[in-house]
Amino acid sequence: MSGPLTGLRVVELAGLGPVPHAAMLLADLGADVVRLERPAGRGLQLGDPTADVVLRSRRSVAVDLKTHDGRSAVLDLAERADVLVEGLRPGVTERLGIGPDEVLRRNPRLVYGRVTGWGRTGPRAQQVGHDLNYVGLTGALHAIGRAAEPPPPPLNLVGDYGGGSMLLVVGILAALVERSGSGRGQVVDAAMVDGVAILSQLTLALRGMGAWSDERQANVLDGAAPFYDTYACADGRFVAVAALEPHFFAALLTGLGMPLEQFPHQHDRASWPAMRTRFEEAFLARTRDEWAAHFAGAEACVTPVLSFAEAPRDPHLAERGTYVEAAGVVQAAPAPRFSRSTLDRPTPPPVPGSTSVAEILAQWSEST
């Protein structure tokens, strides 16, 4: 095992959404992650669990948290670990006897990372929800989509991962840095609503400056501007156009065969309807890949919109190794990249419960 987090021991209480993703990120960076599975399985399953590459590069132990032995196993592992991550509803780990007070009493150096959707305080703290609910409360969902249509679900990238797992990992790493000086662990309390709010900071700044309207598709970055949008091509596929700066906009017009004099004032909103119509007509004249080849090398910020199936075959992403294949499953490669540390190739998701608590404790005791 290599990577900048080599030697870091992480206990993951199995869950959905941000916790397994955060644990994957830590494992990708070299941490030794042990996932504690419920004996009955993983709850919500949308496909073959052996292909669930979010669970890659760690070991799995079956632990029943409702039993005395299960709770003792968590405390024993946490005593030898550096980090514990959990995403249960507020108060659950406390009721089970494996909350921060109990764990930090056994291991004062441990970083106890926890993530919820609504947060641990406030009137919604005990309310059920999923990514779409959390994003909806923050204002971010209201800003996404076309003006005449309901806001579309932005996958689960914004709440679960951007606002959840990424914020949790940042907090865990910050707490580990602080521990290097203080010698003490602490609780990291990440909430998806807080994380999405942080992700929305530029939009909030623009709104504060009077440069952003709460009306959907009325702003430069939300699809109102014809030079920052997607367009259908002759084959029914799409290109992304992001010609924000004047010189990129000029290159876009040139590439589309339009004289610069036709739209001399890029930010004149009165000209945007006609500009959009001309762009729509122009892009329908060729296929997506023909346009991609046409704009290759031009500083017009025009690129193809690829599917998940197509993306790994893109020459740029292929050369960088952005995607890898492990055990027959295409997946994102570990990232970011480091000048000295080497990240291992991911290993397949473990068979649930394939490792024992005793085996982990013995190994961690030997390397203490």
Side-chain angles (χ1 to χ4, degrees), residues 3 32 63 67 79 82 115 118 141 143 155 161 179 200 229 259-260 264 266 273-274 297 311 316 322-323 332 340 358:
D32 182 0
V63 173
T67 66
E79 187 173 354
D82 298 288
V115 59
W118 305 114
L141 183 61
L155 303 184
Y161 296 152
R179 187 185 73 172
S200 305
D229 208 345
L260 302 183
Q266 177 183 357
H316 178 79
T322 299
Y323 295 92
R340 291 186 294 104

Side-chain angles (χ1 to χ4, degrees), residues 172-199:
I172 288 170
L173 297 179
L176 289 170
V177 171
E178 193 278 339
R179 187 185 73 172
S180 66
S182 70
R184 300 169 57 196
Q186 60 181 306
V187 178
V188 176
D189 180 5
M192 289 181 238
V193 290
D194 298 343
V196 176
I198 289 289
L199 292 175

Side-chain angles (χ1 to χ4, degrees), residues 170-242:
V170 168
I172 288 170
L173 297 179
L176 289 170
V177 171
E178 193 278 339
R179 187 185 73 172
S180 66
S182 70
R184 300 169 57 196
Q186 60 181 306
V187 178
V188 176
D189 180 5
M192 289 181 238
V193 290
D194 298 343
V196 176
I198 289 289
L199 292 175
S200 305
Q201 194 75 327
L202 173 60
T203 305
L204 294 172
L206 292 172
R207 191 173 183 275
M209 293 185 287
W212 189 275
S213 167
D214 279 345
E215 182 182 350
R216 194 159 50 254
Q217 202 181 3
N219 306 281
V220 172
L221 298 178
D222 66 357
F227 46 84
Y228 196 85
D229 208 345
T230 58
Y231 289 92
C233 302
D235 55 355
R237 294 189 285 185
F238 304 89
V239 291
V241 176

Side-chain angles (χ1 to χ4, degrees), residues 117-134:
W118 305 114
R120 311 193 73 78
T121 58
R124 295 183 185 268
Q126 292 294 333
Q127 183 176 319
V128 297
H130 279 297
D131 177 287
L132 197 62
N133 305 117
Y134 313 134

Side-chain angles (χ1 to χ4, degrees), residues 229-301:
D229 208 345
T230 58
Y231 289 92
C233 302
D235 55 355
R237 294 189 285 185
F238 304 89
V239 291
V241 176
L244 286 172
E245 290 81 358
H247 54 291
F248 297 156
F249 179 71
L252 170 65
L253 294 182
T254 299
L256 292 176
M258 300 179 187
L260 302 183
E261 296 76 17
Q262 186 170 5
F263 299 109
H265 303 294
Q266 177 183 357
H267 291 277
D268 175 15
R269 289 182 176 243
S271 70
W272 283 5
M275 187 186 300
R276 180 177 298 279
T277 298
R278 291 288 292 116
F279 288 179
E280 289 173 342
E281 294 170 349
F283 281 113
L284 284 173
R286 303 185 188 184
T287 67
R288 181 198 68 183
D289 292 345
E290 288 173 341
W291 281 119
H294 176 74
F295 278 104
E299 293 194 339
C301 300

Side-chain angles (χ1 to χ4, degrees), residues 10-101:
V10 179
V11 174
E12 171 198 359
L13 301 188
L16 299 172
V19 166
H21 190 256
M24 181 200 77
L25 294 172
L26 295 172
D28 284 350
L29 297 179
D32 182 0
V33 179
V34 176
R35 178 177 169 89
L36 305 188
E37 298 274 7
R38 302 182 184 94
R42 294 172 176 158
L44 177 66
Q45 291 187 9
L46 302 178
D48 180 2
T50 63
D52 186 355
V53 293
V54 176
L55 305 182
R56 69 191 185 190
S57 302
R58 58 235 211 218
R59 293 175 287 178
S60 171
V61 175
V63 173
D64 187 350
L65 300 180
K66 296 181 180 179
T67 66
H68 177 269
D69 288 345
R71 294 190 290 271
S72 295
V74 174
L75 294 174
D76 289 343
L77 288 167
E79 187 173 354
R80 293 168 173 80
D82 298 288
V83 177
L84 182 146
V85 292
E86 63 97 352
L88 301 176
R89 199 179 298 189
V92 170
T93 59
E94 285 83 355
R95 289 195 296 271
L96 291 172
I98 54 174
D101 290 345

